[in-house]
Amino acid sequence: MHPLRTRLGLLALAVLAPAVLAAGVSGAGPAAPAAATAAAPAARAGAGNPLAGRTMGVYRGPMEQSWAPYQRATGAKKELLAKIALRPKAKWFGAWVRDADIERKVEDYIANATGGDPNVLVQMAVFRMVPWEHDACKRLPSKAQKKSYRRWIRGFARGVGDAHAALILQPDGPFALCVPKGSKVPSRMIRYAAKRLAALPNTSVYIDAGAGDWPKDRPDEAARFLMPAGIEYVRGFALNSTHYSPTSVEIGFGTRLVEELARRGVPGRHFVINTSSNGKGFDFGTARGKHPDHAKVCRSRSDSHCVTLGIPPTTDVTSPRWGLSAADSARAAAHVDAYLWFGRPWLFMQADPFLTKRALRLVRTTPY
């Protein structure tokens, strides 16, 4: 999986059912809610919410790290793990999948997650940039790496085809701010992917823009790397991929970033928020534990400043169940397409492998 990370230095720089309703909340156990009528596709920026009214597919197979532990479990343990395994989540695809294999891998993932229903929405994260994270601060991609990246992206796009998809493009986006000599090479590569993937007929692309605490309270800094990364081609941006920031903080930061992009000539962007890990949200830089990427999980529902599951995947972003203020609900209604699970707090260092004990604690302590 992707490399392990430390971001504290950079902080200073600034679903037994195959699908659940996108317009509602995914089921907490094996039972599946009834299907809804699929909405007309509207993946382009400025159109109606392309994710709303559409079922969210759940992948059930070996590419999902929670699946085998869920299958092996029995009784109450199985019921608890279902709250992760049977909820719609974004599968991460990266350089560990060979250029020659990516098209087939994506096709297989989509066929499984949709159950063959062309109206079902799938979610994926594209994490293909090499080098990335701290390596990106030390060196630029070589000529061969740039060529491989483009070939991989073309294969990924062919694999997606006309499927309805929500794509998170390049998690941990703020690493683009630390590349040697301020080079725009990585951003131009992401731009290539953004333009290519956004051209697909039913795909909504969200470029990763960090989180409200990275670059902390600096939407102008986030806009600085989103602009060369092709934000004008896509639906919008994604927030909180690997952080634990509260949903309310992300709504506020995202709204300010929408406004900043509009000032720079790119109006009408929308965003999605990862809520897989922020049920008791906190600033990444204040995480408890040996490493912030593996921050301590809550011990009980009354615990605070700890990791637990947040709002289940949904496009009902203003539901009173989420406890948002009236102002945040209004901002969410205007700008947020969905709360999605594209983070992976049940994995070691958010990467690999699946940790059953950690997952069970995440489920037992969530306020949702």
Side-chain angles (χ1 to χ4, degrees):
M1 303 303 290
H2 66 281
L4 306 183
R5 299 172 306 274
T6 304
R7 285 181 295 276
L8 295 180
L10 283 176
L11 288 168
L13 285 174
V15 219
L16 244 333
V20 296
L21 291 182
V25 179
S26 61
T37 302
R44 299 300 174 259
N49 185 349
L51 311 185
R54 191 173 295 284
T55 48
M56 291 181 178
V58 177
Y59 176 87
R60 298 175 295 164
M63 283 193 278
E64 165 54 45
Q65 291 134 300
S66 68
W67 186 247
Y70 165 73
Q71 283 192 305
R72 291 193 299 266
T74 59
K77 183 176 178 181
K78 192 179 188 76
E79 290 183 11
L80 288 169
L81 290 179
K83 295 183 180 182
I84 293 174
L86 299 185
R87 277 184 170 150
K89 303 176 290 297
K91 166 65 181 173
W92 287 40
F93 291 90
W96 54 89
V97 183
R98 298 188 312 153
D99 298 1
D101 297 335
I102 188 61
E103 180 177 355
R104 176 180 57 84
K105 288 283 190 181
V106 171
E107 287 175 342
D108 290 349
Y109 174 80
I110 290 173
N112 181 307
T114 64
D117 186 341
N119 292 314
V120 168
L121 177 77
V122 296
Q123 302 169 53
M124 294 171 281
V126 176
F127 193 73
R128 178 56 180 81
M129 182 66 63
V130 175
W132 196 236
E133 299 182 326
H134 281 290
D135 282 345
C137 306
K138 303 170 186 176
R139 61 185 179 89
L140 295 174
S142 67
K143 184 176 180 179
Q145 286 172 326
K146 289 187 283 187
K147 184 176 180 180
S148 175
Y149 179 88
R150 292 191 295 269
R151 184 167 58 241
W152 192 98
I153 291 297
R154 291 193 297 269
F156 186 96
R158 290 192 302 270
V160 175
D162 61 359
H164 292 273
L167 301 182
I168 311 304
L169 182 52
Q170 204 53 47
D172 287 346
F175 276 103
L177 294 171
C178 77
V179 296
K181 299 181 180 179
S183 173
K184 293 296 187 288
V185 169
S187 292
R188 287 198 294 265
M189 292 168 67
I190 295 171
R191 184 182 188 89
Y192 175 87
K195 188 173 182 180
R196 191 93 182 190
L197 297 172
L200 297 172
N202 300 311
T203 295
S204 301
V205 179
Y206 302 88
I207 304 174
D208 191 281
D213 58 3
W214 186 45
K216 187 172 178 62
D217 299 327
R218 291 292 303 275
D220 57 316
E221 284 288 282
R224 189 158 67 88
F225 63 84
L226 288 178
M227 293 298 290
I231 189 66
E232 72 269 28
Y233 298 120
V234 303
R235 173 72 181 176
F237 54 90
L239 294 173
N240 218 30
S241 294
T242 58
H243 282 214
Y244 317 103
S245 178
T247 300
S248 58
V249 171
E250 297 308 299
I251 292 171
F253 181 78
T255 299
R256 292 165 58 202
L257 182 48
V258 167
E259 294 167 351
E260 180 65 28
L261 291 170
R263 282 192 289 269
R264 296 179 184 229
V266 186
R269 298 309 95 164
H270 295 76
F271 58 97
V272 293
I273 299 171
N274 170 47
T275 56
S276 68
S277 11
N278 69 347
K280 296 289 184 73
F282 54 89
D283 190 301
F284 187 87
T286 65
R288 297 187 298 171
K290 293 181 179 180
H291 196 293
D293 272 330
H294 201 62
K296 284 192 174 182
V297 177
C298 294
R299 295 164 296 184
S300 67
R301 290 190 177 184
S302 61
D303 203 358
S304 60
H305 201 96
C306 49
V307 185
T308 190
L309 302 179
I311 297 170
T314 182
T315 57
D316 185 4
V317 298
T318 63
S319 171
R321 287 171 291 177
W322 315 145
L324 299 174
S325 68
D328 280 339
S329 288
R331 296 183 188 106
H335 307 299
V336 179
D337 281 347
Y339 305 132
L340 302 177
W341 283 11
F342 45 95
R344 307 173 299 176
W346 42 83
L347 303 182
F348 176 71
M349 295 290 287
Q350 304 187 54
D352 201 49
F354 181 83
L355 301 176
T356 300
K357 288 183 179 180
R358 184 176 177 89
L360 290 171
R361 287 179 62 187
L362 288 168
V363 173
R364 290 186 177 116
T365 58
T366 177
Y368 303 101

